[in-house]
Amino acid sequence: MEFSLMHAGLAAGAALAAIPVLLHLFMRPTPKHVVFPALRLIRERQKRSKKKMRIKNWLLLAARMLLLALMALALARPRLHSQTPLGDDSVPTAMGLVFDTSLSMSYKQNDKTLLDQAKERALELIDRVPDSSLIFAADSASPASKAGRSPASARQWIKELTVRAVNRPLNVAMGEVYEAVLECDRPRREVYVLSDLAKTSWDVSRPAEGLDKVAKAAEKPGGKVATVVLRLGPAAAERQNVSIDEIAIPSGVASTGDPVEVRGLVRSHGAKPASRIVEFHLDGVKKGQKPVEVPAGGQVEVQFLTPPRLKEGEVHRAELRVVGAPDPLAFDDVRFLSFQARPPLKVLIASDLDVDAEFVALALDPDPGASRAYQVERARASELAAKYRDTLKDFAAVFLLDVRELDPTAWGLLNAYVHEGGGLVVGAGPRCLAENYNGPIPAQLLPAQLDAPVATAPKTATFGQVADVTHPLFGRYAEEIDPQLAVMPVYKYWRLKTAEAGRTLMTFADGAPALVERTFQGARAGRVLLWTTPLARRPRRSDPAAWNELPNLSYWVFPVVMNLTVPYLAGSTGEKLVFEAGDDVTLSMAPGAASDVRIIGPDGKTAEAATPPPPGEPLRIAAPQFLGHWTVVATGPGDAKKTLGFSLNPTVDESTFSELEKTDLDALLGKDGYALAVDDKTFNRVTDLIRVGHEIFPWIMFLILILVTAENYLANTFYKEPTGGPAPGPSPDAAQAAA
């Protein structure tokens, strides 16, 4: 704790405390000679009175001296400082400003966004420092400049700030600002973080960068850096918001000739239910709307159908919008979807028994008369080589389900199909002969060799977990799939000899591989998925072919995984057209070289040239910033143009606001390394405390009042004439005896 004076020159007035001493020395009364006969008695009385008066005079003198010193000190306006040694707003300052520009900062409060409030607070801070100060400003979307700005330049920079869809953690921005502030030669150093303290804006797994440098600088005189965190907006429990969290085509495939179902998820954030209207737009035209009642903290699903006969190969753009009432957070009131209509994907299922193909066929094409994402064709395994020698390439995926054995010609056909970019799923069951599956041609194809069937132990008689949660088959539902796998019975599976050629995607409870993948690189990637337990079930547990309950209707994992498997094997994941903010976009280009590529933003005006990719390679766009529908125009040989497109949506985490706790801030910034302000009043008090310290003036004035009262009391008491008449003198007899 350091001490300073706002008006240090006035502190010299404390020297006036010597005035009572001087007056006492120069104005002492001169003793008078009194001739009196009873001298002995008078002298005795005088000695006793003199001792008492000396004590009283010193007390009174000390009170008057202290009174004058405190009055001079009060005029000097003393302060106590806990952060910086200079208690004066006019001191040149190295000021760091860290702005949170994430989407949650667009939340409106009193008709102002939180970012607008942050700007106002920052401008107030700059107005209080002299023009010789340097401002080091950074936001969470772009790196800070080590070259400080003048207050005038910083004001202009702050006014131009906007929320951004793609941001880095504030930990990084703080480290950049700390480094610049510490290198500055201004005598006072301050860093202010202006944020709504949403967890999505921070990396809570590690401290803010630069804290070690701040701690090291604090060991030197005048090297402290004061850090203030201003929380903007209401607390998480007080926020109200309605958002669209999802828009998707459930099947993942939009088929030509049939209406396409578009589903959305509407969520209410906060303690109040919400009544809204959801509008459906397709290719810029409103196609329908539905009212929804969303419970407090709940969600509601909505469905819309597109018109039939959508143009094949063209990128269609759909939107769901929430309207009907003002909403404090606007960015999540709309969600975007881009898709292409195409014929149903053809799938071939080969098996020895009809029952082994039944469950996969129903999962992919449950109602052949309705809108179809997949066109399923069944065949006997023995027909593969003869019937599909020339047409196997027309299938998006081939399923080989519990087939006893294939001849070398059929294995060779499947091998060629996969190496040319096809997708194969093998479901190994009780009919499979290990010798046939481990032959030389299958070894070039399968990700592992079969060893022997294994019965599960009672405590491990279930599936285990998804081993690769980032895989396209599970990435979207990984958290929901694991709990179902943990209760899904497995009675037998094939133990594998080796899986060096593939990677394990799913395991059983005992850790053995349940699903293994092998990928073959080429102009188009070929893939093989090997299930070590059948993709079929038997109703009776006593049946030797009853190996698992994976296709049981009690679980939704099986149809979901099957419906994700086919587009993955067909390469549809490479044609993904919907991305989240922060993702890199990858778009498949037409065969041949593109001579010019133009990327057009959602506003339809901003166009940027991109470097054309090599022939056969996809176009990669690094983390686009703006939400909405994007257009890509590629010009090829002979000025032939191809129009591509994609949609960019905000992350759902930006809508589900979760605020940092005090313990989180302590871990990020150090328990005693920052001051937290939650409103303007607290912010002003914290700022004053940092800049000019604790105000002692009121306490000194109170002490002066007490001393004035004490001085008057002492003066009146010490010199008060005794009551009851004059003091008794010596008796005449005593005086005569003394004479």
Side-chain angles (χ1 to χ4, degrees), residues 377-700:
E377 187 172 332
R378 304 190 197 186
R380 287 286 181 260
S382 57
E383 302 174 341
L384 276 177
K387 187 175 181 180
Y388 298 100
R389 179 182 300 276
D390 299 323
T391 59
L392 198 62
K393 62 179 182 298
D394 297 333
F395 291 95
V398 175
F399 285 77
L400 195 66
L401 302 180
D402 200 11
V403 172
R404 178 180 176 83
E405 59 181 332
L406 291 177
D407 57 42
T409 304
W411 278 118
L413 180 64
L414 291 175
N415 192 21
Y417 166 73
V418 170
H419 279 81
E420 291 174 359
L424 174 65
V425 180
V426 178
R431 296 179 54 81
C432 296
L433 293 178
E435 312 87 65
N436 183 264
Y437 282 76
N438 296 339
I441 299 179
Q444 302 174 28
L445 182 66
L446 300 179
Q449 292 187 333
L450 302 182
D451 186 1
V454 175
T456 57
K459 292 184 179 180
T460 60
T462 64
F463 283 86
Q465 60 182 0
V466 174
D468 185 358
V469 295
T470 64
H471 195 276
L473 289 180
F474 314 111
R476 187 177 176 186
Y477 303 105
E479 293 184 2
E480 293 84 358
I481 288 177
D482 275 344
Q484 287 219 350
L485 294 178
V487 296
M488 191 179 294
V490 177
Y491 313 123
K492 276 188 178 182
Y493 63 84
W494 277 95
R495 182 173 60 233
L496 301 178
K497 288 184 178 180
T498 175
E500 294 179 359
R503 61 169 175 161
T504 301
L505 304 182
M506 184 187 294
T507 64
F508 296 110
D510 61 3
L515 176 61
V516 186
E517 179 186 32
R518 185 176 183 181
T519 302
F520 300 88
Q521 299 299 328
R524 179 181 171 187
R527 298 180 175 91
V528 178
L529 296 174
L530 172 62
W531 288 86
T532 59
T533 193
L535 299 181
R537 64 180 294 268
R538 299 294 189 268
R540 296 194 309 273
R541 173 69 183 86
S542 58
D543 193 325
W547 278 32
N548 65 70
E549 298 294 334
L550 180 61
N552 195 315
L553 294 178
S554 301
Y555 310 103
W556 54 260
V557 170
F558 183 76
V560 168
V561 172
M562 292 301 105
N563 276 272
L564 292 173
T565 295
V566 175
Y568 171 65
L569 295 178
S572 297
T573 52
E575 300 169 6
K576 177 181 177 183
L577 300 180
V578 181
F579 301 87
E580 287 192 341
D583 291 344
D584 290 338
V585 174
T586 302
L587 297 177
S588 299
M589 302 291 288
S595 58
D596 182 72
V597 176
R598 297 278 171 177
I599 303 172
I600 304 172
D603 59 0
K605 302 175 182 177
T606 306
E608 180 181 349
T611 303
E617 292 292 323
L619 173 67
R620 291 181 172 83
I621 306 171
Q625 273 281 349
F626 303 105
L627 305 176
H629 298 302
W630 290 70
T631 303
V632 178
V633 179
T635 304
D639 292 334
K641 291 187 177 181
K642 180 179 181 180
T643 302
L644 308 172
F646 64 92
S647 297
L648 190 70
N649 288 309
T651 60
V652 176
D653 291 341
E654 290 280 3
S655 299
T656 55
F657 182 82
S658 179
E659 187 178 345
L660 288 176
E661 302 290 341
K662 182 67 166 57
T663 53
D664 297 324
L665 279 173
D666 290 345
L668 284 165
L669 304 175
K671 190 173 183 179
D672 300 318
Y674 69 99
L676 176 63
V678 296
D679 52 38
D680 290 349
K681 183 178 179 181
T682 311
F683 184 60
N684 291 332
R685 184 170 65 248
V686 169
T687 304
D688 288 341
L689 174 61
I690 287 175
R691 293 204 170 165
V692 292
H694 294 280
E695 176 67 80
I696 308 177
F697 178 78
W699 297 101
I700 294 179

Side-chain angles (χ1 to χ4, degrees), residues 51-65:
K51 290 180 180 179
K52 293 180 180 179
M53 289 302 297
R54 184 180 293 115
I55 296 174
K56 293 178 180 180
N57 286 337
W58 279 115
L59 287 175
L60 190 57
L61 179 64
R64 289 170 176 170
M65 291 175 65

